[in-house]
Amino acid sequence: MSEFRHRLTNRADIRAPKSTHEPITRYHSEMTTARLAFAVTPSGWKELQARMCQLFLEMGWEAREAVVTPLARGRKELDVHVVDNLVVPKQVYAGECKNWSSRVTQEIVHSFRTVCSDLGVTIGFLVSKNGFQSGAHEAAVMSNVRLLTFEELQQQFFQRWYEAMLLWLKPRLDILFPYWDPTGGRMPKKPWSEAERERHRALPHSFNKPTIGVGRIEVTSYRQYFELVEQSYSVMLSKMRTLHGEDR
């Protein structure tokens, strides 16, 4: 357990959940990837908007797409409206997505800056697929507008997203950990044979190093890792309960 906490803390700069276990973390620590919530670049504007909204939702924040809000003059449809209720006072963010083939101009920044001022948001994120013209950066100076690519947005919030995903994972590991714990966890209904003991030793490694057919899965992103755990959890729990004689 101490080795687990040390390795995960080094990997992600956070404290590991107390009930997690070393084998699954060893698998995780072997993965080398960028600190991103999404490994695949959005294919279009709507997908970029949806991914941005999903990022904040997975962090435990309130987030909605295509929100129409009143301004000082008229109304504006925000691509993404976000409220972080996990801090006091709460923080409100606005997101504008530009999946253009060209770089965003200063006129767009000036317009979004006015929207953010009217709404009184904490920060407005203007996310562009292909960056910004030099005049756009000048237009954002001394304002609460941040000009970012989607990759930069993910990197900025990666730590909070990762911590939130670990909290999502923790209840599953809390249930599984007693079956793995050799020092006082769940005990089988009857004494195990040597073959059953070997199966018990091997099960965490099958969860740790899953295979598709005869080939091993290669985990290349943090999201793939969390999705893999979700897919494998019920299978592992069923096998452990069978081995412990709990489903008979």
Side-chain angles (χ1 to χ4, degrees):
M1 289 290 290
S2 61
E3 179 186 2
F4 162 74
R5 293 193 182 100
H6 172 72
R7 294 173 75 172
L8 184 55
T9 302
N10 284 348
R11 184 75 183 107
D13 303 319
I14 65 172
R15 183 176 300 278
K18 293 182 179 180
S19 62
T20 44
H21 50 285
E22 195 275 337
I24 194 170
T25 308
R26 184 172 65 249
Y27 182 52
H28 193 188
S29 67
E30 291 173 358
M31 178 186 63
T32 56
T33 187
R35 291 164 66 85
L36 301 173
F38 299 94
V40 180
T41 302
S43 60
W45 165 72
K46 288 296 292 183
E47 186 176 355
L48 175 58
Q49 175 179 291
R51 292 279 180 83
M52 186 176 181
C53 188
Q54 182 182 349
L55 173 69
F56 291 114
L57 285 172
E58 289 177 339
M59 289 160 52
W61 300 5
E62 294 179 9
R64 294 182 295 156
E65 298 179 53
V67 177
V68 177
T69 59
L71 302 178
R73 296 181 180 178
R75 302 167 71 83
K76 164 69 175 176
E77 182 179 293
L78 292 177
D79 289 344
V80 180
H81 182 268
V82 181
V83 180
D84 179 5
N85 285 312
L86 302 180
V87 296
V88 178
K90 69 181 181 181
Q91 304 296 302
V92 180
Y93 303 97
E96 184 83 359
C97 303
K98 302 299 182 186
N99 200 64
W100 297 350
S101 58
S102 58
R103 293 184 294 172
V104 171
T105 65
Q106 63 179 349
E107 289 77 18
I108 297 298
V109 177
H110 280 304
S111 176
F112 187 55
R113 181 171 174 166
T114 299
V115 169
C116 291
S117 177
D118 282 4
L119 293 177
V121 299
T122 308
I123 295 176
F125 295 106
L126 183 51
V127 178
S128 170
K129 174 184 177 182
N130 286 299
F132 304 85
Q133 295 181 2
S134 58
H137 287 285
E138 294 172 4
V141 173
M142 301 293 290
S143 77
N144 62 344
V145 173
R146 302 293 180 267
L147 310 183
L148 302 166
T149 64
F150 186 52
E151 182 174 293
E152 289 169 340
L153 179 72
Q154 293 177 76
Q155 291 169 346
Q156 185 166 116
F157 285 101
F158 177 83
Q159 193 61 39
R160 291 196 65 174
W161 175 81
Y162 189 67
E163 291 176 6
M165 294 301 286
L166 282 178
L167 289 176
W168 165 84
L169 176 61
K170 186 177 181 295
R172 293 155 176 79
L173 298 181
D174 284 344
I175 293 173
L176 286 174
F177 182 70
Y179 292 100
W180 278 315
D181 185 8
T183 61
R186 299 182 78 93
M187 304 301 293
K189 298 291 187 181
K190 62 181 181 64
W192 279 334
S193 65
E194 185 57 37
E196 288 172 323
R197 290 193 193 92
E198 182 57 36
R199 283 174 57 201
H200 181 258
R201 285 191 291 266
L203 270 175
H205 296 287
S206 67
F207 189 58
N208 175 36
K209 308 236 189 264
T211 59
I212 298 178
V214 296
R216 181 179 165 189
I217 296 173
E218 180 182 0
V219 176
T220 58
S221 71
Y222 288 92
R223 180 166 299 280
Q224 184 186 4
Y225 169 76
F226 287 116
E227 289 176 349
L228 179 63
V229 171
E230 172 70 10
Q231 294 165 9
S232 304
Y233 163 73
S234 59
V235 175
M236 170 61 70
L237 183 59
S238 176
K239 288 183 178 181
M240 279 294 189
R241 283 175 171 168
T242 297
L243 186 60
H244 284 72
E246 295 178 354
D247 59 352
R248 298 170 185 169

mmCIF file of all heavy atoms in Angstrom, residues 119-140:
data_model
loop_
_atom_site.group_PDB
_atom_site.id
_atom_site.type_symbol
_atom_site.label_atom_id
_atom_site.label_comp_id
_atom_site.label_asym_id
_atom_site.label_seq_id
_atom_site.Cartn_x
_atom_site.Cartn_y
_atom_site.Cartn_z
ATOM 1 N N LEU A 119 -22.295 39.309 -18.311
ATOM 2 C CA LEU A 119 -22.751 38.183 -17.484
ATOM 3 C C LEU A 119 -22.089 38.152 -16.114
ATOM 4 O O LEU A 119 -22.596 37.511 -15.194
ATOM 5 C CB LEU A 119 -22.467 36.855 -18.212
ATOM 6 C CG LEU A 119 -23.263 36.601 -19.488
ATOM 7 C CD1 LEU A 119 -22.820 35.281 -20.117
ATOM 8 C CD2 LEU A 119 -24.755 36.560 -19.188
ATOM 9 N N GLY A 120 -20.962 38.822 -15.981
ATOM 10 C CA GLY A 120 -20.260 38.817 -14.706
ATOM 11 C C GLY A 120 -19.624 37.488 -14.366
ATOM 12 O O GLY A 120 -19.516 37.135 -13.175
ATOM 13 N N VAL A 121 -19.205 36.744 -15.372
ATOM 14 C CA VAL A 121 -18.594 35.441 -15.120
ATOM 15 C C VAL A 121 -17.197 35.623 -14.543
ATOM 16 O O VAL A 121 -16.558 36.676 -14.713
ATOM 17 C CB VAL A 121 -18.519 34.592 -16.413
ATOM 18 C CG1 VAL A 121 -19.900 34.332 -16.962
ATOM 19 C CG2 VAL A 121 -17.627 35.249 -17.461
ATOM 20 N N THR A 122 -16.736 34.581 -13.855
ATOM 21 C CA THR A 122 -15.384 34.612 -13.288
ATOM 22 C C THR A 122 -14.337 34.634 -14.398
ATOM 23 O O THR A 122 -13.431 35.472 -14.404
ATOM 24 C CB THR A 122 -15.153 33.384 -12.390
ATOM 25 O OG1 THR A 122 -16.222 33.300 -11.435
ATOM 26 C CG2 THR A 122 -13.823 33.488 -11.666
ATOM 27 N N ILE A 123 -14.477 33.698 -15.328
ATOM 28 C CA ILE A 123 -13.563 33.596 -16.465
ATOM 29 C C ILE A 123 -14.361 33.148 -17.681
ATOM 30 O O ILE A 123 -15.278 32.323 -17.574
ATOM 31 C CB ILE A 123 -12.422 32.582 -16.205
ATOM 32 C CG1 ILE A 123 -11.530 33.053 -15.066
ATOM 33 C CG2 ILE A 123 -11.568 32.381 -17.466
ATOM 34 C CD1 ILE A 123 -10.428 32.050 -14.695
ATOM 35 N N GLY A 124 -14.014 33.680 -18.832
ATOM 36 C CA GLY A 124 -14.568 33.208 -20.090
ATOM 37 C C GLY A 124 -13.483 32.495 -20.878
ATOM 38 O O GLY A 124 -12.399 33.050 -21.102
ATOM 39 N N PHE A 125 -13.759 31.264 -21.277
ATOM 40 C CA PHE A 125 -12.785 30.474 -22.034
ATOM 41 C C PHE A 125 -13.166 30.496 -23.514
ATOM 42 O O PHE A 125 -14.222 29.985 -23.900
ATOM 43 C CB PHE A 125 -12.742 29.035 -21.536
ATOM 44 C CG PHE A 125 -12.236 28.900 -20.129
ATOM 45 C CD1 PHE A 125 -13.112 28.614 -19.087
ATOM 46 C CD2 PHE A 125 -10.890 29.073 -19.839
ATOM 47 C CE1 PHE A 125 -12.653 28.503 -17.787
ATOM 48 C CE2 PHE A 125 -10.419 28.957 -18.532
ATOM 49 C CZ PHE A 125 -11.302 28.676 -17.505
ATOM 50 N N LEU A 126 -12.319 31.090 -24.308
ATOM 51 C CA LEU A 126 -12.507 31.096 -25.753
ATOM 52 C C LEU A 126 -11.573 30.040 -26.321
ATOM 53 O O LEU A 126 -10.350 30.205 -26.317
ATOM 54 C CB LEU A 126 -12.196 32.473 -26.333
ATOM 55 C CG LEU A 126 -12.411 32.674 -27.841
ATOM 56 C CD1 LEU A 126 -13.793 32.207 -28.281
ATOM 57 C CD2 LEU A 126 -12.222 34.146 -28.203
ATOM 58 N N VAL A 127 -12.153 28.933 -26.769
ATOM 59 C CA VAL A 127 -11.374 27.765 -27.189
ATOM 60 C C VAL A 127 -11.351 27.680 -28.707
ATOM 61 O O VAL A 127 -12.405 27.622 -29.353
ATOM 62 C CB VAL A 127 -11.963 26.475 -26.580
ATOM 63 C CG1 VAL A 127 -11.187 25.259 -27.055
ATOM 64 C CG2 VAL A 127 -11.935 26.558 -25.058
ATOM 65 N N SER A 128 -10.161 27.666 -29.266
ATOM 66 C CA SER A 128 -9.990 27.660 -30.713
ATOM 67 C C SER A 128 -9.191 26.443 -31.164
ATOM 68 O O SER A 128 -8.193 26.079 -30.546
ATOM 69 C CB SER A 128 -9.262 28.925 -31.166
ATOM 70 O OG SER A 128 -8.871 28.845 -32.526
ATOM 71 N N LYS A 129 -9.647 25.824 -32.245
ATOM 72 C CA LYS A 129 -8.946 24.666 -32.791
ATOM 73 C C LYS A 129 -7.573 25.042 -33.321
ATOM 74 O O LYS A 129 -6.599 24.306 -33.154
ATOM 75 C CB LYS A 129 -9.785 24.042 -33.913
ATOM 76 C CG LYS A 129 -9.094 22.913 -34.661
ATOM 77 C CD LYS A 129 -9.953 22.417 -35.815
ATOM 78 C CE LYS A 129 -9.245 21.343 -36.630
ATOM 79 N NZ LYS A 129 -10.068 20.901 -37.785
ATOM 80 N N ASN A 130 -7.478 26.214 -33.962
ATOM 81 C CA ASN A 130 -6.237 26.593 -34.640
ATOM 82 C C ASN A 130 -5.619 27.882 -34.110
ATOM 83 O O ASN A 130 -4.926 28.598 -34.830
ATOM 84 C CB ASN A 130 -6.493 26.718 -36.149
ATOM 85 C CG ASN A 130 -6.647 25.362 -36.808
ATOM 86 O OD1 ASN A 130 -5.739 24.553 -36.787
ATOM 87 N ND2 ASN A 130 -7.822 25.103 -37.369
ATOM 88 N N GLY A 131 -5.862 28.169 -32.849
ATOM 89 C CA GLY A 131 -5.183 29.289 -32.228
ATOM 90 C C GLY A 131 -5.784 30.640 -32.547
ATOM 91 O O GLY A 131 -6.929 30.749 -33.017
ATOM 92 N N PHE A 132 -4.986 31.699 -32.307
ATOM 93 C CA PHE A 132 -5.489 33.064 -32.362
ATOM 94 C C PHE A 132 -4.501 33.971 -33.080
ATOM 95 O O PHE A 132 -3.288 33.773 -33.013
ATOM 96 C CB PHE A 132 -5.718 33.586 -30.940
ATOM 97 C CG PHE A 132 -6.647 32.723 -30.120
ATOM 98 C CD1 PHE A 132 -6.162 31.612 -29.440
ATOM 99 C CD2 PHE A 132 -7.992 33.020 -30.040
ATOM 100 C CE1 PHE A 132 -7.009 30.818 -28.688
ATOM 101 C CE2 PHE A 132 -8.847 32.233 -29.297
ATOM 102 C CZ PHE A 132 -8.358 31.121 -28.624
ATOM 103 N N GLN A 133 -5.028 34.978 -33.737
ATOM 104 C CA GLN A 133 -4.178 36.002 -34.332
ATOM 105 C C GLN A 133 -3.547 36.847 -33.220
ATOM 106 O O GLN A 133 -4.063 36.909 -32.105
ATOM 107 C CB GLN A 133 -4.986 36.885 -35.278
ATOM 108 C CG GLN A 133 -5.531 36.163 -36.501
ATOM 109 C CD GLN A 133 -6.310 37.082 -37.425
ATOM 110 O OE1 GLN A 133 -6.417 38.290 -37.183
ATOM 111 N NE2 GLN A 133 -6.856 36.509 -38.492
ATOM 112 N N SER A 134 -2.444 37.509 -33.548
ATOM 113 C CA SER A 134 -1.747 38.300 -32.531
ATOM 114 C C SER A 134 -2.652 39.385 -31.964
ATOM 115 O O SER A 134 -2.621 39.685 -30.762
ATOM 116 C CB SER A 134 -0.483 38.920 -33.126
ATOM 117 O OG SER A 134 -0.800 39.739 -34.255
ATOM 118 N N GLY A 135 -3.478 39.984 -32.804
ATOM 119 C CA GLY A 135 -4.397 41.015 -32.335
ATOM 120 C C GLY A 135 -5.415 40.479 -31.354
ATOM 121 O O GLY A 135 -5.891 41.207 -30.475
ATOM 122 N N ALA A 136 -5.754 39.187 -31.466
ATOM 123 C CA ALA A 136 -6.711 38.576 -30.549
ATOM 124 C C ALA A 136 -6.132 38.509 -29.142
ATOM 125 O O ALA A 136 -6.826 38.752 -28.152
ATOM 126 C CB ALA A 136 -7.081 37.180 -31.042
ATOM 127 N N HIS A 137 -4.864 38.168 -29.040
ATOM 128 C CA HIS A 137 -4.217 38.110 -27.724
ATOM 129 C C HIS A 137 -4.167 39.501 -27.093
ATOM 130 O O HIS A 137 -4.381 39.660 -25.886
ATOM 131 C CB HIS A 137 -2.806 37.544 -27.863
ATOM 132 C CG HIS A 137 -2.771 36.069 -28.127
ATOM 133 N ND1 HIS A 137 -3.020 35.133 -27.143
ATOM 134 C CD2 HIS A 137 -2.543 35.366 -29.263
ATOM 135 C CE1 HIS A 137 -2.933 33.914 -27.647
ATOM 136 N NE2 HIS A 137 -2.651 34.030 -28.940
ATOM 137 N N GLU A 138 -3.902 40.512 -27.904
ATOM 138 C CA GLU A 138 -3.880 41.886 -27.393
ATOM 139 C C GLU A 138 -5.268 42.298 -26.911
ATOM 140 O O GLU A 138 -5.397 43.009 -25.907
ATOM 141 C CB GLU A 138 -3.395 42.837 -28.486
ATOM 142 C CG GLU A 138 -1.942 42.623 -28.890
ATOM 143 C CD GLU A 138 -1.547 43.442 -30.104
ATOM 144 O OE1 GLU A 138 -2.401 44.238 -30.574
ATOM 145 O OE2 GLU A 138 -0.408 43.291 -30.582
ATOM 146 N N ALA A 139 -6.307 41.840 -27.602
ATOM 147 C CA ALA A 139 -7.681 42.190 -27.228
ATOM 148 C C ALA A 139 -8.100 41.564 -25.908
ATOM 149 O O ALA A 139 -9.031 42.045 -25.257
ATOM 150 C CB ALA A 139 -8.641 41.778 -28.334
ATOM 151 N N ALA A 140 -7.426 40.488 -25.504
ATOM 152 C CA ALA A 140 -7.791 39.783 -24.267
ATOM 153 C C ALA A 140 -7.027 40.289 -23.050
ATOM 154 O O ALA A 140 -7.317 39.887 -21.923
ATOM 155 C CB ALA A 140 -7.558 38.289 -24.441
#
